[in-house]
Amino acid sequence: MAVEDSTDTSSAGVCVVSRRTVQPSRSGEATSAVELKGETVHLTPWDLQMLTVDYIQKGVLLPNPPTGGRGERLVDRLASSFARALGRFYPFAGRLAVEERQEEGTVAVSLRCTGEGAEFVHAVAPGVTVADVAASTYVPRVVWSFFPLDGLVGADAAAGSRPVLAAQVTELADGVFVAMSLSHGVADGTAFWHLFNTWSEMSRTGADAEVSTPPPVLERWFPDACPVPIPLPFGNLDDIVRRFECPPVEECFFHFSAERVKNLKARANAEVAGAGSATISSLQSLLAHVWRAVSRARRLPPADETTYTVLVGCRGRVKRVPQGYAGNAVVRATARATAGEITDNGLGWTALLLHRAVASLDEAAMLGSLSVEFVSQD
C-alpha cells in the first residue's frame, strides 16, 4: 500500500494529507471458480452507454467516532477494510483499456483486472462542521472537495489509465465524511451501494469476522448475438465524449416526511380511481409531484413538451441478471407530456404517466433497449 504525503490546499477549506493506492486484500475475495487477476472483463451495452457519464459519487456524513479515534488511526482502519471489500469486487482494482482498430475505424473498451488498486485519500477540513454540510439549504461548494476523481467521466479513466474506483476520508471539525467515486462505465448505483455496504460492514466487524453481505456476481451478461468485445464505431476514444459545459448552479436536497409521501400517494391513487387496475406507488407519486412543481417553476408555455426520465433496474426483471450483479443493469423509462397537461390534469394523471412508462419495461422491452447496430467485423 503506497502512501504519498501531500499538503494540497487548493480546494477551499480542504487539505489533502495523503494519497495511497489500495490493492485488494486476499482475505476479502469472493469465492470464485475463476481467478480474475490478469483476466479481461468486457463491457456490455449497458456499461458502454455510461462511458460518457460522470463517476458515481456518494458519501456518508458521520459524527466523530465515540472512541475518539481520529487521524491516521481512523484512516488506516478504513483503508484496511476498504482493501478487504475491494478483494470481493476485484475487477474495480483494475484499469479500463482501449483497443483502437484503425483499419476498421472502431474502438473497444474493456476492464483489465490488473490489480493495480484503487485510490484512497485522507483529507482534513478543520474549518468545516457537520452543521455546515447538513443544515445548509444549498449544498456548500466545499462538499465537492470531499470526493476524489471529481469531474471525470468513464472515458477519461480509459484514456488516462486512471483508477475506476477511489475513496476519500475527510475529517471535519466535529465529524467525518466518507466518500466513494466509481466509474459509471463499470457499474451502476446498485453495485456502488453493494460495495459501499460491504466496506461498511467489514469496517464495523473487523478483519476476521464473517460478513453477512452477499458477495457480488462478477460475471458480465451479454444478450444473444452480441459481439464480445463490442466494437464502437469511432476512430478513437476522444470521439465518444461530448462534454456538457454548464454555468455553476446551486444544488440542494429536498426532504419529504413519511406522512407527506403517504398523503401524496393517497391523493394520486384517489385521482386515478377507476383507471384500470393501476396502483400508483409512493415513489411515482413523489416524482409526479416534483415533475409538476418543476414545470411550474420553469414557467414553460403550455404547448411545450416536457419529459421525466426514470432509471429502472433490470435485476429481478431480466432473468439472467441476478440481484448481486456487479455491472450496469439499468434502462431509462421516459414519460412525456406538455407543460399544460402536467399543470391542468393533476397529480394522479401525471403519476399514471410515470407508472405506465415503468410498467412498459418488461423483460422483452429491456432486452430490446440493448439493440445496437454492431459494426461488422468482416
Side-chain angles (χ1 to χ4, degrees):
M1 185 183 296
V3 180
E4 174 188 341
D5 292 330
S6 174
T7 56
D8 176 20
T9 57
S10 59
S11 298
V14 177
C15 174
V16 174
V17 177
S18 65
R19 301 178 187 271
R20 66 184 80 182
T21 300
V22 175
Q23 277 88 24
S25 168
R26 300 286 299 181
S27 62
E29 286 191 60
T31 301
S32 174
V34 179
E35 173 57 61
L36 285 174
K37 187 172 183 179
E39 294 293 320
T40 296
V41 176
H42 294 294
L43 302 185
T44 71
W46 285 330
D47 297 323
L48 292 171
Q49 68 183 356
M50 296 297 186
L51 277 178
T52 60
V53 178
D54 295 287
Y55 273 54
I56 304 172
Q57 295 180 314
K58 307 291 181 184
V60 293
L61 182 61
L62 305 170
N64 278 332
T67 58
R70 295 273 286 176
E72 290 299 332
R73 177 181 169 189
L74 168 67
V75 172
D76 287 345
R77 179 167 59 85
L78 288 171
S80 177
S81 55
F82 186 61
R84 296 196 303 276
L86 190 56
R88 285 193 162 204
F89 291 80
Y90 192 91
F92 297 163
R95 296 291 185 269
L96 289 175
V98 181
E99 180 185 357
E100 294 181 354
R101 302 171 181 173
Q102 296 182 353
E103 67 281 359
E104 300 174 6
T106 65
V107 60
V109 184
S110 59
L111 177 59
R112 299 277 175 83
C113 298
T114 61
E116 292 177 61
E119 184 176 72
F120 191 93
V121 181
H122 174 205
V124 293
V128 181
T129 67
V130 169
D132 290 334
V133 177
S136 176
T137 300
Y138 294 99
V139 178
R141 295 308 305 170
V142 71
V143 168
W144 298 113
S145 300
F146 299 164
F147 292 93
L149 306 180
D150 185 40
L152 292 186
V153 300
D156 291 328
S161 193
R162 301 291 298 274
V164 300
L165 173 67
Q168 180 171 320
V169 179
T170 304
E171 297 182 80
L172 311 182
D174 55 351
V176 179
F177 195 94
V178 181
M180 198 169 75
S181 299
L182 177 64
S183 170
H184 215 325
V186 301
D188 59 16
T190 299
F192 177 99
W193 284 115
H194 190 176
L195 170 56
F196 204 108
N197 290 333
T198 300
W199 178 21
S200 175
E201 183 180 2
M202 288 181 170
S203 180
R204 293 193 310 270
T205 57
D208 299 324
E210 188 173 334
V211 179
S212 62
T213 304
V217 178
L218 302 177
E219 183 179 358
R220 298 285 159 136
W221 174 81
F222 288 83
D224 296 337
C226 178
V228 181
I230 298 174
L232 300 175
F234 299 94
N236 58 70
L237 193 64
D238 291 338
D239 295 337
I240 296 177
V241 182
R242 293 182 180 178
R243 300 188 187 279
F244 175 68
E245 299 292 341
C246 64
V249 295
E250 296 285 358
E251 300 183 25
C252 63
F253 284 96
F254 293 98
H255 299 273
F256 296 89
S257 67
E259 185 64 25
R260 176 61 171 153
V261 173
K262 180 180 178 181
N263 290 339
L264 285 171
K265 179 180 179 180
R267 176 181 154 197
N269 278 287
E271 290 182 11
V272 298
S277 58
T279 299
I280 306 300
S281 70
S282 297
L283 179 59
Q284 290 161 2
S285 304
L286 179 59
L287 295 183
H289 175 67
V290 172
W291 189 5
R292 299 182 74 232
V294 170
S295 294
R296 288 195 301 269
R298 294 173 67 191
R299 299 180 181 178
L300 296 175
D304 278 14
E305 184 183 64
T306 178
T307 63
Y308 203 114
T309 298
V310 182
L311 290 180
V312 180
C314 301
R315 297 169 181 84
R317 289 183 171 90
V318 177
K319 295 176 183 177
R320 290 168 286 179
V321 180
Q323 290 295 335
Y325 185 76
N328 282 288
V330 292
V331 297
R332 296 176 177 87
T334 300
R336 303 176 185 275
T338 66
E341 290 172 329
I342 292 296
T343 302
D344 297 341
N345 288 318
L347 177 70
W349 185 90
T350 307
L352 189 59
L353 288 181
L354 292 168
H355 173 85
R356 288 171 175 166
V358 173
S360 68
L361 289 175
D362 56 12
E363 182 175 22
M366 286 185 164
L367 295 179
S369 72
L370 293 173
S371 298
V372 294
E373 294 185 7
F374 301 118
V375 177
S376 173
Q377 302 182 69
D378 295 338

